[in-house]
Structures are given as C-alpha cells and as structure tokens.
Amino acid sequence: METDDLSLPIFEAGSVWLVGAGPGDPGLLTLHAVNGLQQADAVVYDALVASAILDLARPDCERIFAGKRGGKPSPVQADISQRLVRLAKAGKRVLRLKGGDPFVFGRGGEEALALVAAGVPFRVIPGISAGIGGLAYAGIPVTHRDTNSAVTFVTGHGVGGAVPDGLDWAALAKGSPVVVLYMALKHIAAIAGALLQHGRPAEEPVAVVSQATLPEQVILETTLARCAEDIAAAGIEPPCIVVVGEVVRLRAGLDWQGLAAGRVLDPDPLGPSRRRETG
Ligand code: SAH
C-alpha cells in the first residue's frame, strides 16, 4: 500500500505504539496501524489478532505472542508490560497489537501506564472495537434514532473472572436500552437472569455474533429468556459479542452481508408500532 503522501508518522526507535487491530477483517485496520506494521522491529500480539494482519509486518520483524486471554491473572499482564519496556529500551520500534480497540476492555491503559512509569515514549492508535464494528457486520447499529439514544458496553468478566459484581444491574436494566456485552459467553445465563430480574422483557431480542467480521462469522438471533439455552444448543464459540435490545430487530433491514447472499431486506424492520414519532 502506498501511504507516503499522507504524512504518516515515523516510528521512532525506542518507542512503543499501542495499536488496535480491529475485530478481525484486515480491511478494518487504520492507516496508522498499517504504517506502524511496515516500520516495526517487534510486534507483540494477542490471541485475537488474525495472521493476515501480522503478515503486514516486515519479514524481518520479530513476532512475539503475548498469549493473553481475558480473565487470566495479572502477573502475566505485568510480564507483558515489562517486555514492552525492555524491547523499547533496547532501541526497538515496538508495536503492541491488540484486538479491537486497545482502550476497550483491552488493558491498553495498564500497559501505557507501565510505559509512562518506565519513561518510554508511546503513541496510541485506536481500532474498531468488536462491540461496534462487529455488530455493524451483522447489520446491527449500536444506536438508532427510533430505538435508543444510549448504549452501554459491559464486560462479562470481572477482575477475578466472574460476572462483574460491581455493576448495578438494576440501573443498567432500567437505564440502558441497548447493552453490548464482551466476554459474556461463560456467564450469559447469569447476565440474562440479572437483566430479566430487573425488569427487561423475556421476549427482548438478543443477537450473538461470533468471530465477527471474519469468514467464520456466525450470528444467532434469540431472546433474553432463551439466549443461554440457544447459545449452548447452537454450539457458539468465542470470541463473541452479545447485544441486548430493540436494535437487533434492525438486522432484518440492515443485514448487508445477507443482501449480498440474496436475502431480501425489510425497509421497515421495526414496523409502525415500534417506530418513535420523529420530526
Ligand atoms: N479490545 C477489544 C476487546 C478485547 S476483550 C475490542 O475493542 O474489541 C475480548 C473480547 O472482545 C472477546 O471475548 C469478545 O467478546 C470480543 N471480541 C473481540 N473480537 C471479536 C470478534 N471478532 N468477534 C466477536 N467478538 C469479539
């Protein structure tokens, strides 16, 4: 790719770029990410980064697998941060490549703070988060004028790996018409149960998008009451985004990948009864 005319930054030796790789489809990388990959001496990457994306690094670039998956204990995290510091202090151009956006449930903030503590210069390159871009590939917008003016992003894993107890599920159920859940598969029954218990309707639509934006992408549409059972029955595998809310109905009109495969789309997927008066 010819990126010379864009005045993209030079990757200085001894610095770290904290880069979001997006949800999987290499086309969703930013130009800053590609520019960084073309210059990096070392790439430290996570489990969710596709090999086609790593292939954009220079052939002589050192590729280091950080191998962290959500919910693992923090000593591993400290090791990764220290590794970034060591590589940078050795004068390398270090690209830390994370799935989605580095600052969305990605511990990018922790790694950046370790760099600050060690006096290592860094740059942050945002990426498309799975909870937004992954849902867009499934034809589900996270906001829509007729359904919601707010959306909440929630992790299904707390610090200790359990459903986040610190969350006020009553407030969430009442105040957030759309809830987008990351890392929620393991605890989906408890999460759906909490939302139901605090007043969300049993028939509220839920979509599960597995391997979003990748060729292996699988989408399951279900309801809050049935989702845990349906996910198990369908054998859905992580990584997955789960979205709860009326926006899921828009998929009947906006499933653009389905359109390409011959699906007939409904231009009025919410129907007159569900459309808010606009004007
Ligand atoms: N920083 C990432 C999230 C890291 S947490 C981001 O912004 O997207 C890891 C979780 O992200 C996974 O458990 C899953 O819930 C979600 N995820 C990441 N990539 C995904 C993909 N391609 N499809 C579905 N979910 C994905």
Side-chain angles (χ1 to χ4, degrees), residues 158-236:
V159 175
V163 186
D165 292 332
L167 258 176
D168 184 343
W169 289 98
L172 200 69
K174 187 161 184 281
S176 185
V178 173
V179 181
V180 176
L181 296 151
Y182 291 70
M183 296 176 274
L185 217 50
K186 202 165 153 200
H187 300 295
I188 191 64
I191 292 167
L195 290 171
L196 287 166
Q197 187 197 331
H198 292 291
R200 297 293 279 251
E203 289 309 306
E204 181 160 3
V206 169
V208 184
V209 187
S210 167
Q211 310 250 42
T213 79
L214 293 163
E216 301 80 18
Q217 175 177 286
V218 172
I219 301 158
L220 171 74
E221 283 187 56
T222 172
T223 64
L224 207 46
R226 283 202 326 265
C227 63
E229 213 177 301
D230 286 355
I231 288 168
I236 300 275

Coordinates of all heavy atoms in Angstrom, one line a residue, residues 158-236:
G158 N -15.2 -10.0 35.4 CA -14.6 -9.0 36.3 C -13.1 -9.3 36.5 O -12.6 -10.1 35.7
V159 N -12.5 -8.6 37.4 CA -11.1 -8.8 37.6 C -10.8 -10.3 38.0 O -9.8 -10.8 37.5 CB -10.6 -7.9 38.8 CG1 -9.1 -8.1 39.1 CG2 -10.8 -6.4 38.4
G160 N -11.6 -10.9 38.8 CA -11.4 -12.3 39.2 C -12.0 -13.3 38.2 O -12.0 -14.5 38.5
G161 N -12.5 -12.8 37.1 CA -13.1 -13.8 36.1 C -14.6 -14.0 36.2 O -15.2 -14.6 35.4
A162 N -15.2 -13.5 37.3 CA -16.6 -13.7 37.5 C -17.4 -12.5 36.8 O -16.8 -11.5 36.4 CB -16.9 -13.8 38.9
V163 N -18.7 -12.7 36.8 CA -19.6 -11.6 36.3 C -19.3 -10.4 37.2 O -19.3 -10.6 38.4 CB -21.1 -12.0 36.4 CG1 -21.9 -10.9 35.7 CG2 -21.3 -13.3 35.7
P164 N -19.2 -9.2 36.6 CA -18.8 -8.1 37.4 C -19.9 -7.8 38.5 O -20.9 -7.3 38.2 CB -18.6 -6.9 36.4 CG -19.3 -7.4 35.2 CD -19.3 -8.9 35.2
D165 N -19.5 -8.1 39.7 CA -20.4 -7.8 40.8 C -20.6 -6.3 41.1 O -21.6 -5.9 41.6 CB -19.9 -8.4 42.1 CG -19.9 -10.0 42.0 OD1 -20.8 -10.5 41.3 OD2 -19.1 -10.6 42.7
G166 N -19.6 -5.5 40.7 CA -19.6 -4.1 40.9 C -20.7 -3.4 40.1 O -20.9 -2.2 40.2
L167 N -21.3 -4.1 39.1 CA -22.2 -3.5 38.2 C -23.6 -3.4 38.9 O -24.1 -4.3 39.5 CB -22.4 -4.3 37.0 CG -21.6 -3.8 35.7 CD1 -21.8 -4.8 34.6 CD2 -22.1 -2.5 35.3
D168 N -24.2 -2.2 38.7 CA -25.6 -2.0 39.2 C -26.6 -2.5 38.1 O -26.9 -1.8 37.2 CB -25.8 -0.5 39.5 CG -27.1 -0.2 40.1 OD1 -28.0 -1.1 40.0 OD2 -27.3 0.9 40.7
W169 N -26.9 -3.8 38.1 CA -27.8 -4.4 37.1 C -29.1 -3.8 37.0 O -29.7 -3.7 35.9 CB -27.8 -5.9 37.3 CG -26.5 -6.6 36.9 CD1 -25.6 -7.0 37.8 CD2 -26.0 -6.8 35.6 NE1 -24.5 -7.5 37.1 CE2 -24.7 -7.4 35.8 CE3 -26.5 -6.7 34.3 CZ2 -23.9 -7.8 34.7 CZ3 -25.7 -7.1 33.3 CH2 -24.4 -7.6 33.5
A170 N -29.7 -3.3 38.2 CA -31.0 -2.7 38.2 C -30.9 -1.4 37.4 O -31.8 -1.1 36.5 CB -31.4 -2.4 39.6
A171 N -29.9 -0.6 37.6 CA -29.7 0.7 36.9 C -29.5 0.4 35.4 O -30.1 1.1 34.6 CB -28.6 1.5 37.5
L172 N -28.7 -0.6 35.1 CA -28.4 -0.9 33.7 C -29.7 -1.4 33.0 O -30.0 -0.9 31.9 CB -27.4 -2.1 33.7 CG -26.6 -2.3 32.5 CD1 -25.7 -1.1 32.2 CD2 -25.8 -3.5 32.5
A173 N -30.4 -2.3 33.7 CA -31.7 -2.8 33.1 C -32.7 -1.6 32.8 O -33.3 -1.6 31.8 CB -32.3 -3.8 34.0
K174 N -32.7 -0.7 33.7 CA -33.7 0.4 33.6 C -33.2 1.5 32.6 O -33.9 2.0 31.8 CB -33.8 1.0 35.0 CG -34.9 2.1 35.1 CD -35.3 2.2 36.6 CE -36.5 3.2 36.7 NZ -36.0 4.6 36.7
G175 N -31.9 1.8 32.7 CA -31.4 3.0 32.0 C -30.7 2.8 30.7 O -30.5 3.7 30.0
S176 N -30.4 1.5 30.3 CA -29.7 1.3 29.1 C -30.5 0.5 28.1 O -30.5 -0.7 28.3 CB -28.3 0.7 29.4 OG -27.6 0.6 28.1
P177 N -31.1 1.1 27.1 CA -32.0 0.3 26.2 C -31.2 -0.7 25.4 O -31.7 -1.7 25.0 CB -32.6 1.4 25.3 CG -31.8 2.6 25.5 CD -31.1 2.5 26.9
V178 N -29.9 -0.4 25.2 CA -29.1 -1.4 24.5 C -27.8 -1.7 25.3 O -27.2 -0.8 25.8 CB -28.6 -0.9 23.1 CG1 -27.6 -1.8 22.4 CG2 -29.9 -0.7 22.2
V179 N -27.6 -3.0 25.5 CA -26.4 -3.4 26.3 C -25.6 -4.3 25.4 O -26.1 -5.3 24.8 CB -26.9 -4.2 27.5 CG1 -25.6 -4.7 28.3 CG2 -27.8 -3.4 28.4
V180 N -24.3 -3.9 25.2 CA -23.4 -4.7 24.4 C -22.4 -5.4 25.3 O -21.7 -4.7 26.1 CB -22.6 -3.8 23.4 CG1 -21.6 -4.6 22.6 CG2 -23.6 -3.1 22.4
L181 N -22.3 -6.7 25.2 CA -21.6 -7.5 26.2 C -20.3 -8.1 25.5 O -20.4 -8.8 24.5 CB -22.4 -8.6 26.8 CG -23.6 -8.2 27.6 CD1 -24.7 -9.2 27.5 CD2 -23.2 -7.9 29.0
Y182 N -19.2 -7.9 26.1 CA -17.9 -8.5 25.7 C -17.7 -9.7 26.7 O -18.0 -9.5 27.9 CB -16.7 -7.5 25.8 CG -16.7 -6.4 24.8 CD1 -17.7 -5.4 24.9 CD2 -15.8 -6.3 23.8 CE1 -17.6 -4.3 24.0 CE2 -15.7 -5.3 22.9 CZ -16.7 -4.3 23.0 OH -16.6 -3.2 22.1
M183 N -17.0 -10.7 26.2 CA -16.5 -11.8 27.1 C -17.7 -12.3 28.0 O -17.5 -12.6 29.1 CB -15.4 -11.3 28.0 CG -14.2 -10.9 27.2 SD -12.8 -10.3 28.2 CE -13.3 -8.6 28.3
A184 N -18.8 -12.5 27.4 CA -20.0 -12.8 28.2 C -20.5 -14.2 28.1 O -21.4 -14.6 28.8 CB -21.2 -11.8 27.8
L185 N -19.9 -15.0 27.2 CA -20.4 -16.3 26.9 C -20.5 -17.2 28.1 O -21.5 -17.8 28.4 CB -19.5 -17.0 25.8 CG -20.2 -17.8 24.8 CD1 -21.4 -17.0 24.2 CD2 -19.2 -18.3 23.7
K186 N -19.4 -17.2 28.9 CA -19.4 -18.1 30.1 C -20.5 -17.8 31.1 O -21.0 -18.7 31.7 CB -18.0 -18.0 30.7 CG -17.6 -19.1 31.6 CD -16.1 -19.0 31.9 CE -15.8 -19.7 33.2 NZ -14.5 -19.3 33.7
H187 N -20.8 -16.5 31.3 CA -21.7 -16.2 32.3 C -23.1 -15.6 31.7 O -23.8 -14.9 32.4 CB -21.1 -15.1 33.2 CG -19.9 -15.5 33.9 ND1 -19.8 -16.6 34.8 CD2 -18.6 -15.1 33.7 CE1 -18.6 -16.8 35.2 NE2 -17.8 -15.9 34.5
I188 N -23.4 -16.1 30.5 CA -24.5 -15.5 29.8 C -25.8 -15.8 30.6 O -26.7 -14.9 30.7 CB -24.6 -15.9 28.3 CG1 -25.7 -15.1 27.6 CG2 -24.9 -17.4 28.2 CD1 -25.4 -13.6 27.5
A189 N -26.0 -17.0 31.2 CA -27.2 -17.3 31.9 C -27.4 -16.3 33.1 O -28.5 -15.8 33.3 CB -27.1 -18.7 32.4
A190 N -26.3 -16.1 33.8 CA -26.4 -15.2 35.0 C -26.7 -13.7 34.6 O -27.5 -13.0 35.2 CB -25.1 -15.2 35.8
I191 N -26.0 -13.3 33.4 CA -26.2 -11.9 33.0 C -27.7 -11.7 32.5 O -28.4 -10.8 32.9 CB -25.2 -11.6 31.8 CG1 -23.8 -11.6 32.4 CG2 -25.6 -10.3 31.2 CD1 -22.7 -11.6 31.4
A192 N -28.2 -12.7 31.7 CA -29.5 -12.6 31.2 C -30.5 -12.6 32.4 O -31.5 -11.9 32.4 CB -29.8 -13.7 30.2
G193 N -30.2 -13.5 33.3 CA -31.0 -13.6 34.5 C -31.1 -12.3 35.3 O -32.2 -11.9 35.7
A194 N -30.0 -11.6 35.4 CA -29.9 -10.3 36.1 C -30.8 -9.3 35.4 O -31.5 -8.5 36.0 CB -28.5 -9.9 36.3
L195 N -30.7 -9.3 34.1 CA -31.5 -8.3 33.3 C -33.0 -8.6 33.4 O -33.8 -7.7 33.5 CB -31.0 -8.3 31.8 CG -29.6 -7.7 31.6 CD1 -29.2 -7.9 30.2 CD2 -29.6 -6.2 31.9
L196 N -33.3 -9.9 33.3 CA -34.7 -10.3 33.4 C -35.3 -9.9 34.8 O -36.4 -9.4 35.0 CB -34.9 -11.8 33.2 CG -34.7 -12.2 31.7 CD1 -34.5 -13.7 31.6 CD2 -35.9 -11.8 30.9
Q197 N -34.5 -10.2 35.8 CA -34.9 -10.0 37.2 C -35.2 -8.5 37.5 O -36.0 -8.2 38.2 CB -33.8 -10.5 38.1 CG -34.1 -10.4 39.6 CD -32.8 -10.5 40.5 OE1 -31.8 -11.1 40.0 NE2 -32.8 -9.9 41.6
H198 N -34.4 -7.7 36.7 CA -34.6 -6.2 36.9 C -35.5 -5.6 35.9 O -35.5 -4.4 35.6 CB -33.3 -5.5 37.0 CG -32.5 -5.9 38.2 ND1 -32.9 -5.5 39.5 CD2 -31.4 -6.7 38.4 CE1 -32.0 -6.0 40.4 NE2 -31.1 -6.7 39.7
G199 N -36.4 -6.4 35.3 CA -37.5 -5.9 34.5 C -37.4 -5.9 33.0 O -38.3 -5.5 32.3
R200 N -36.3 -6.4 32.4 CA -36.3 -6.5 31.0 C -37.2 -7.6 30.5 O -37.2 -8.7 31.1 CB -34.8 -6.7 30.5 CG -33.9 -5.6 30.9 CD -34.2 -4.3 30.2 NE -33.7 -4.2 28.9 CZ -32.7 -3.4 28.5 NH1 -32.1 -2.6 29.4 NH2 -32.3 -3.4 27.2
P201 N -37.9 -7.4 29.4 CA -38.9 -8.4 28.9 C -38.2 -9.7 28.4 O -37.1 -9.6 27.8 CB -39.6 -7.7 27.7 CG -38.9 -6.4 27.5 CD -37.8 -6.2 28.5
A202 N -38.9 -10.8 28.7 CA -38.4 -12.1 28.3 C -38.2 -12.2 26.8 O -37.3 -12.8 26.3 CB -39.4 -13.2 28.7
E203 N -39.0 -11.5 26.0 CA -39.0 -11.6 24.6 C -38.1 -10.5 23.9 O -38.0 -10.4 22.7 CB -40.4 -11.4 24.0 CG -41.3 -12.6 24.2 CD -40.6 -13.9 23.8 OE1 -40.2 -14.0 22.7 OE2 -40.5 -14.8 24.7
E204 N -37.4 -9.8 24.8 CA -36.5 -8.8 24.2 C -35.4 -9.4 23.3 O -34.8 -10.4 23.6 CB -35.7 -8.0 25.3 CG -34.8 -6.9 24.8 CD -34.4 -5.9 25.8 OE1 -34.9 -6.0 27.0 OE2 -33.7 -4.9 25.4
P205 N -35.2 -8.9 22.1 CA -34.3 -9.5 21.2 C -32.8 -9.4 21.6 O -32.4 -8.4 22.1 CB -34.5 -8.8 19.8 CG -35.2 -7.5 20.1 CD -35.9 -7.7 21.5
V206 N -32.1 -10.5 21.3 CA -30.7 -10.6 21.6 C -30.0 -11.2 20.4 O -30.6 -12.1 19.7 CB -30.5 -11.6 22.8 CG1 -29.0 -12.0 23.0 CG2 -31.1 -11.1 24.1
A207 N -28.9 -10.7 20.0 CA -28.1 -11.3 19.0 C -26.7 -11.6 19.5 O -26.1 -10.9 20.4 CB -27.9 -10.3 17.8
V208 N -26.2 -12.7 19.0 CA -24.8 -13.2 19.4 C -24.0 -13.2 18.1 O -24.4 -13.9 17.1 CB -24.9 -14.6 20.0 CG1 -23.5 -15.0 20.5 CG2 -25.9 -14.6 21.2
V209 N -22.9 -12.5 18.1 CA -22.1 -12.5 16.9 C -20.7 -13.1 17.2 O -20.0 -12.6 18.0 CB -21.9 -11.1 16.3 CG1 -21.1 -11.2 15.0 CG2 -23.2 -10.4 16.1
S210 N -20.5 -14.3 16.7 CA -19.2 -15.0 16.9 C -18.3 -14.8 15.8 O -18.7 -14.7 14.6 CB -19.5 -16.5 17.1 OG -18.3 -17.3 17.0
Q211 N -17.0 -14.5 16.1 CA -15.9 -14.3 15.1 C -16.4 -13.2 14.1 O -16.2 -13.4 12.9 CB -15.7 -15.6 14.3 CG -15.5 -16.8 15.1 CD -14.1 -17.3 15.1 OE1 -13.1 -16.5 15.1 NE2 -13.9 -18.6 15.0
A212 N -16.9 -12.2 14.6 CA -17.4 -11.1 13.8 C -16.3 -10.5 12.8 O -15.2 -10.4 13.2 CB -17.8 -9.9 14.7
T213 N -16.8 -10.2 11.7 CA -16.0 -9.7 10.5 C -15.1 -10.7 9.8 O -14.5 -10.3 8.8 CB -15.2 -8.4 10.9 OG1 -14.0 -8.8 11.5 CG2 -16.0 -7.4 11.7
L214 N -15.0 -11.9 10.4 CA -14.1 -12.9 9.8 C -15.0 -13.8 8.9 O -16.2 -13.9 9.0 CB -13.4 -13.7 10.9 CG -12.5 -12.8 11.7 CD1 -12.1 -13.5 13.0 CD2 -11.2 -12.6 10.9
P215 N -14.3 -14.6 8.1 CA -15.1 -15.6 7.2 C -15.9 -16.6 8.0 O -16.9 -17.1 7.6 CB -14.0 -16.3 6.4 CG -12.8 -15.4 6.5 CD -12.9 -14.6 7.7
E216 N -15.4 -16.8 9.3 CA -16.1 -17.8 10.2 C -17.2 -17.2 10.9 O -17.8 -17.9 11.8 CB -15.1 -18.4 11.2 CG -13.9 -19.1 10.6 CD -12.8 -18.1 10.1 OE1 -12.8 -16.9 10.5 OE2 -11.9 -18.6 9.3
Q217 N -17.6 -15.9 10.6 CA -18.6 -15.2 11.4 C -19.9 -16.0 11.5 O -20.4 -16.6 10.5 CB -18.9 -13.9 10.8 CG -20.0 -13.1 11.4 CD -20.2 -11.7 10.7 OE1 -19.4 -10.8 10.9 NE2 -21.2 -11.6 9.9
V218 N -20.5 -16.1 12.7 CA -21.8 -16.8 12.9 C -22.6 -15.9 13.7 O -22.2 -15.3 14.7 CB -21.6 -18.1 13.7 CG1 -22.9 -18.8 14.1 CG2 -20.7 -19.1 12.9
I219 N -23.9 -15.8 13.3 CA -24.8 -14.9 14.0 C -26.0 -15.7 14.5 O -26.6 -16.4 13.7 CB -25.3 -13.7 13.1 CG1 -24.1 -12.9 12.7 CG2 -26.3 -12.8 13.9 CD1 -24.3 -12.1 11.4
L220 N -26.4 -15.5 15.8 CA -27.5 -16.2 16.3 C -28.5 -15.1 16.8 O -28.1 -14.2 17.6 CB -27.1 -17.1 17.5 CG -28.2 -17.7 18.3 CD1 -28.9 -18.8 17.6 CD2 -27.7 -18.2 19.7
E221 N -29.8 -15.2 16.4 CA -30.8 -14.2 17.0 C -31.6 -15.0 17.9 O -32.1 -16.1 17.6 CB -31.6 -13.6 15.8 CG -30.9 -12.5 15.1 CD -31.7 -11.8 14.1 OE1 -32.8 -11.3 14.5 OE2 -31.4 -11.8 12.9
T222 N -31.8 -14.5 19.1 CA -32.6 -15.2 20.1 C -33.3 -14.1 21.0 O -33.5 -13.0 20.5 CB -31.7 -16.1 20.9 OG1 -32.4 -16.7 22.0 CG2 -30.4 -15.5 21.4
T223 N -33.7 -14.5 22.2 CA -34.3 -13.6 23.1 C -33.6 -13.7 24.5 O -32.9 -14.6 24.7 CB -35.8 -13.9 23.3 OG1 -35.9 -15.2 24.0 CG2 -36.6 -13.9 22.0
L224 N -33.9 -12.7 25.3 CA -33.3 -12.7 26.6 C -33.6 -14.0 27.4 O -32.7 -14.6 28.0 CB -33.8 -11.5 27.4 CG -32.9 -10.9 28.5 CD1 -31.4 -10.7 28.0 CD2 -33.4 -9.5 28.9
A225 N -34.9 -14.4 27.4 CA -35.2 -15.6 28.1 C -34.6 -16.9 27.6 O -34.3 -17.8 28.3 CB -36.8 -15.8 28.1
R226 N -34.4 -16.9 26.3 CA -33.9 -18.2 25.6 C -32.4 -18.2 25.3 O -31.8 -19.2 24.9 CB -34.6 -18.4 24.3 CG -36.1 -18.9 24.5 CD -36.5 -19.6 23.2 NE -35.9 -19.0 22.0 CZ -36.5 -18.1 21.3 NH1 -37.7 -17.7 21.6 NH2 -35.9 -17.5 20.2
C227 N -31.7 -17.0 25.5 CA -30.4 -16.9 24.9 C -29.4 -17.9 25.4 O -28.6 -18.5 24.6 CB -29.8 -15.5 25.0 SG -29.6 -14.9 26.6
A228 N -29.4 -18.2 26.7 CA -28.4 -19.1 27.3 C -28.5 -20.5 26.7 O -27.6 -21.1 26.2 CB -28.5 -19.2 28.8
E229 N -29.8 -20.9 26.6 CA -30.1 -22.2 26.1 C -29.8 -22.3 24.6 O -29.1 -23.3 24.1 CB -31.6 -22.4 26.2 CG -32.1 -23.8 26.4 CD -33.7 -23.7 26.6 OE1 -34.1 -23.0 27.6 OE2 -34.4 -24.3 25.8
D230 N -30.2 -21.3 23.8 CA -29.9 -21.3 22.4 C -28.4 -21.2 22.0 O -28.0 -21.9 21.1 CB -30.6 -20.1 21.7 CG -32.1 -20.3 21.6 OD1 -32.6 -21.4 22.0 OD2 -32.8 -19.3 21.2
I231 N -27.7 -20.5 22.8 CA -26.2 -20.4 22.6 C -25.6 -21.8 22.8 O -24.8 -22.2 22.0 CB -25.6 -19.3 23.5 CG1 -26.0 -17.9 23.1 CG2 -24.1 -19.5 23.6 CD1 -25.6 -16.8 24.1
A232 N -26.0 -22.4 23.8 CA -25.4 -23.8 24.1 C -25.9 -24.7 23.0 O -25.0 -25.5 22.5 CB -25.9 -24.3 25.5
A233 N -27.1 -24.7 22.6 CA -27.6 -25.6 21.6 C -26.9 -25.4 20.2 O -26.6 -26.3 19.5 CB -29.1 -25.5 21.4
A234 N -26.6 -24.1 19.9 CA -26.0 -23.8 18.6 C -24.5 -24.1 18.7 O -23.8 -24.0 17.6 CB -26.3 -22.4 18.3
G235 N -23.9 -24.3 19.9 CA -22.5 -24.6 20.0 C -21.7 -23.4 19.6 O -20.6 -23.5 19.0
I236 N -22.2 -22.2 19.9 CA -21.5 -20.9 19.6 C -20.1 -20.9 20.3 O -20.1 -21.1 21.5 CB -22.3 -19.7 20.0 CG1 -23.7 -19.7 19.2 CG2 -21.6 -18.4 19.8 CD1 -23.6 -19.1 17.9

